[in-house]
Amino acid sequence: MLDLKRIIDTINHIAPEALQESWDNSGIQINCGKDKNINKIMTCLEINSDIIKEAVRENVDMIVTHHPLIFNKLSKIDTEDITGNHIIKLIKNDIAVYSAHTSFDSALKGTNYYLANKLGLKNLSPIIPNPDFQECGMGRHGEYENFLSFNEFLNRLKKACPDSDLRIAGKKPEFIKKISICTGSGAEFIDSAFSAGSDIFITGDLKYHDAMHAADIGFCVIDAGHYGTEVIFAENMESQLRSKLSDDVYVFSSKTDINPFLK
């Protein structure tokens, strides 16, 4: 077992809190005491009632989540409120919560890196580099050694994001070599990806006007879903924590399906 402070320090080594966007709330969300002993950690995309039930059932001491449980300022904690109810249940069960959100998106081996790696892309670089952390920043550009046909690439993407219902906007390129990625919601980087000479930009939460803009500039944008591009957080964070904590703490990723869209 390790104390909570050691776990937090380890997560900060993987994804420094200083990498997060100014509007974000990455970091400790529920602190049950820095001297609290942590034997078991569960990683997940975000917290809901089913995730809490799994954590309690598995006797988890800490949840490391991507999306923050507490995002906006709370004026009160009320059991009649969804977030308040979650917080009360977690505290009653002595479960600490940490969020690695945009800090992990921009991290050296975070969500964007992980998806690019699953797609087999090389020569990775951030779309928006962080000046204070070498090779870190939001999104990723990457490329293949050889050109792929559009259908070949689409098959790779479907394997990398099996939980995604792909939506394609703009003009499909016949061949593909350079790709840009921003997991989650990244439509704001469409022009940056286009200006960088990418053949395709992959993100989630594409709105109508974003798709129309892609069509207007003749650029292919693939919406692979917010959930579909970020659910990989759990396995990625699990792997990195396991490698750094060794056998001192048991780390596992949640088995609960929290995809809000009906299949």
Side-chain angles (χ1 to χ4, degrees):
M1 66 179 69
L2 294 172
D3 61 41
L4 181 59
K5 183 180 183 304
R6 168 72 185 278
I7 305 296
I8 293 173
D9 289 344
T10 301
I11 297 172
N12 265 281
H13 184 74
I14 295 169
E17 290 177 18
L19 279 173
Q20 69 181 298
E21 299 297 306
S22 59
W23 46 263
D24 196 15
N25 190 31
S26 292
I28 191 70
Q29 304 259 292
I30 296 178
N31 186 340
C32 299
K34 291 188 178 181
D35 294 328
K36 172 181 169 60
N37 290 324
I38 305 294
N39 293 293
K40 187 180 283 190
I41 297 173
M42 184 173 77
T43 62
C44 62
L45 176 60
E46 65 183 84
I47 291 174
N48 66 8
S49 295
D50 290 335
I51 288 288
I52 295 173
K53 288 177 183 177
E54 182 184 8
V56 172
R57 186 173 63 248
E58 297 294 333
N59 295 314
V60 164
D61 301 300
M62 182 177 187
I63 298 174
V64 179
T65 178
H66 187 46
H67 294 155
L69 171 63
I70 302 170
F71 198 85
N72 298 312
K73 183 179 179 180
L74 295 174
S75 58
K76 62 180 178 179
I77 297 176
D78 189 337
T79 189
E80 297 300 320
D81 172 73
I82 292 293
T83 301
N85 188 270
H86 292 344
I87 292 169
I88 290 168
K89 285 180 180 178
L90 289 160
I91 291 174
K92 280 184 175 180
N93 286 281
D94 199 27
I95 299 174
V97 175
Y98 187 100
S99 168
H101 189 211
T102 54
S103 59
F104 195 75
D105 288 330
S106 289
L108 182 62
K109 294 187 177 180
T111 312
N112 287 289
Y113 164 89
Y114 195 67
L115 180 54
N117 196 52
K118 284 171 75 74
L119 290 169
L121 295 168
K122 307 295 182 184
N123 302 324
L124 303 182
S125 62
I127 295 177
I128 308 296
N130 186 298
D132 300 320
F133 294 85
Q134 189 175 8
E135 298 183 66
C136 295
M138 192 58 69
R140 287 295 183 275
H141 300 302
E143 58 186 17
Y144 292 111
E145 292 181 4
N146 301 304
F147 282 93
L148 297 180
S149 70
F150 183 79
N151 286 335
E152 285 175 323
F153 173 74
L154 213 57
N155 287 333
R156 290 196 182 196
L157 182 57
K158 288 176 180 177
K159 289 180 181 178
C161 299
D163 296 299
S164 296
D165 292 321
L166 304 181
R167 296 191 302 159
I168 304 169
K171 183 179 180 181
K172 295 181 183 178
E174 186 175 357
F175 295 102
I176 294 159
K177 187 173 177 66
K178 186 171 183 178
I179 305 291
S180 293
I181 294 168
C182 184
T183 58
S185 298
E188 63 196 274
F189 302 123
I190 289 175
D191 287 331
S192 296
F194 181 66
S195 297
S198 292
D199 301 301
I200 288 178
F201 178 52
I202 302 165
T203 191
D205 291 344
L206 196 68
K207 295 181 180 179
Y208 171 84
H209 292 292
D210 300 323
M212 186 60 73
H213 177 64
D216 283 343
I217 62 176
F219 186 41
C220 184
V221 178
I222 299 180
D223 183 342
H226 198 125
Y227 177 86
T229 58
E230 291 199 330
V231 69
I232 55 177
F233 165 86
E235 62 186 55
N236 185 4
M237 178 60 87
E238 175 196 355
S239 176
Q240 293 196 56
L241 283 175
R242 278 179 176 265
S243 68
K244 294 186 181 303
L245 298 176
S246 187
D247 296 328
D248 294 325
V249 177
Y250 179 68
V251 185
F252 72 101
S253 53
S254 168
K255 305 300 185 295
T256 300
D257 182 3
I258 62 169
N259 191 345
F261 295 100
L262 299 178
K263 298 179 180 177

